[in-house]
Amino acid sequence: GGAFSPSVAVDGRIRGTWRRTIKRDAVVVETTPFTRWTRAEREAIVAAAQRYGAFLGKKGTLAP
């Protein structure tokens, strides 16, 4: 994790990092939060992963 890792921003603040694993039919997004996600933040991240997957023409999921 250097200064150029993909970041998760919530309300304009960097709250964690993320990475993707592309599979044949899906893209799996794995997050590393700096602090625990709230329920609303987790739901927003799940929705973002789904939109990202749709953008790539795949199913987008969040790693457990």
Side-chain angles (χ1 to χ4, degrees):
F4 299 107
S5 296
S7 300
V8 177
V10 177
D11 294 328
R13 297 190 148 190
I14 304 301
R15 294 286 316 279
T17 60
W18 67 278
R19 67 183 187 139
R20 69 179 186 182
T21 302
I22 296 178
K23 302 188 179 222
R24 181 166 26 133
D25 297 328
V27 60
V28 179
V29 175
E30 180 180 349
T31 61
T32 304
F34 298 151
T35 59
R36 189 175 175 100
W37 303 123
T38 66
R39 176 179 282 167
E41 289 169 340
R42 181 162 174 76
E43 289 172 359
I45 293 166
V46 167
Q50 292 170 343
R51 287 191 308 271
Y52 183 58
F55 174 75
L56 297 176
K58 301 177 181 293
K59 179 180 178 187
T61 61
L62 188 63

